[in-house]
Amino acid sequence: AANLFYRRDGRILGDNSDAPGFLAGLALIQVDWKSLSREAVVLGAGGSARAVVYALVTSGWSITLLTRRIEQAQVLANSFRDFLPVDRIQTKTLDEHVLRTLRADLVVNTTPVGMYPDVCCSPWPAQIPLPTSAIIYDLIYNPRNTVLLDQAYAQELPVIGGIHMLVEQAAISFERWTGLEAPRQAMLDAVQASTE
């Protein structure tokens, strides 16, 4: 999927800023990545899940893709069959038994659950603890602090909010369109000021 179009040498090219935007947010967490098993749980199977799965698998991660309807997860996993090692992608139903038995270094919410205006919801049931020691990455940026992130804070887990991915996507677009280096900190400050 292309979400970024720009001109180069008289041609119009398409690109996608989701995967590199996601990875830039992930890089903000100061951890020894080599010490991790690189097992990730991805909640959802929409467009942003596609970018996250692609980014993680091409970076050496194994994925457990969770959806309410297993067919959605299977369709997404199968769509990578021709260009990714799909043996690194498992699909499971997002239910209480599965959530209680998961082990992961990273949990990524790619669903809209918890996004404005339904800010009192979480894709992870309140009665089930998040995986111990996992990094929790919620792609939602409005609100900046979601119920899922509050659940992670309560367990003292490291978190990443969607605002960092949003800013990086904008920075990538700015650089493709202008050929100039994006003022990332100024962009982040502006977004944070507008969402307080």
Side-chain angles (χ1 to χ4, degrees):
N3 68 349
L4 167 60
F5 296 92
Y6 57 100
R7 294 178 74 88
R8 284 289 181 280
D9 303 320
R11 298 171 62 208
I12 296 178
L13 304 177
D15 204 345
N16 188 293
S17 63
D18 292 345
F22 167 78
L23 290 173
L26 191 58
L28 296 173
I29 294 289
Q30 301 298 311
V31 296
D32 179 10
W33 295 105
K34 292 178 184 173
S35 70
L36 301 179
S37 62
R38 290 185 172 240
E39 298 282 338
V41 170
V42 176
L43 307 175
S48 57
R50 177 180 301 279
V52 168
V53 169
Y54 176 82
L56 289 172
V57 172
T58 56
S59 299
W61 289 74
S62 294
I63 309 296
T64 300
L65 191 58
L66 298 182
T67 55
R68 287 187 300 254
R69 294 193 339 262
I70 190 70
E71 299 81 14
Q72 291 176 303
Q74 290 167 340
V75 166
L76 178 56
N78 289 336
S79 72
F80 290 114
R81 190 164 299 284
D82 293 336
F83 56 95
L84 284 182
V86 292
D87 58 318
R88 289 195 179 165
I89 307 171
Q90 291 185 65
T91 58
K92 295 187 178 181
T93 305
L94 202 165
D95 65 33
E96 184 167 337
H97 172 71
V98 169
L99 292 177
R100 287 190 183 280
T101 57
L102 281 174
R103 294 179 57 207
D105 298 312
L106 175 67
V107 174
V108 184
N109 177 35
T110 71
T111 76
V113 178
M115 183 166 35
Y116 180 83
D118 299 318
V119 297
C120 57
C121 303
S122 172
W124 197 278
Q127 72 276 15
I128 302 174
L130 291 157
T132 306
S133 303
I135 298 161
I136 310 302
Y137 194 153
D138 196 339
L139 301 192
I140 291 172
Y141 54 86
N142 184 14
R144 283 171 40 195
N145 196 50
T146 62
V147 174
L148 176 62
L149 295 185
D150 283 340
Q151 292 169 264
Y153 289 130
Q155 289 184 228
E156 299 182 353
L157 299 176
V159 303
I160 308 166
I163 196 168
H164 298 288
M165 179 175 169
L166 176 70
V167 168
E168 186 61 25
Q169 290 174 291
I172 290 167
S173 299
F174 178 90
E175 290 173 349
R176 291 285 190 345
W177 293 331
T178 68
L180 304 172
E181 185 175 345
R184 283 172 171 78
Q185 189 58 52
M187 295 167 81
L188 179 60
D189 292 346
V191 172
Q192 288 178 327
S194 70
T195 57
E196 288 179 349

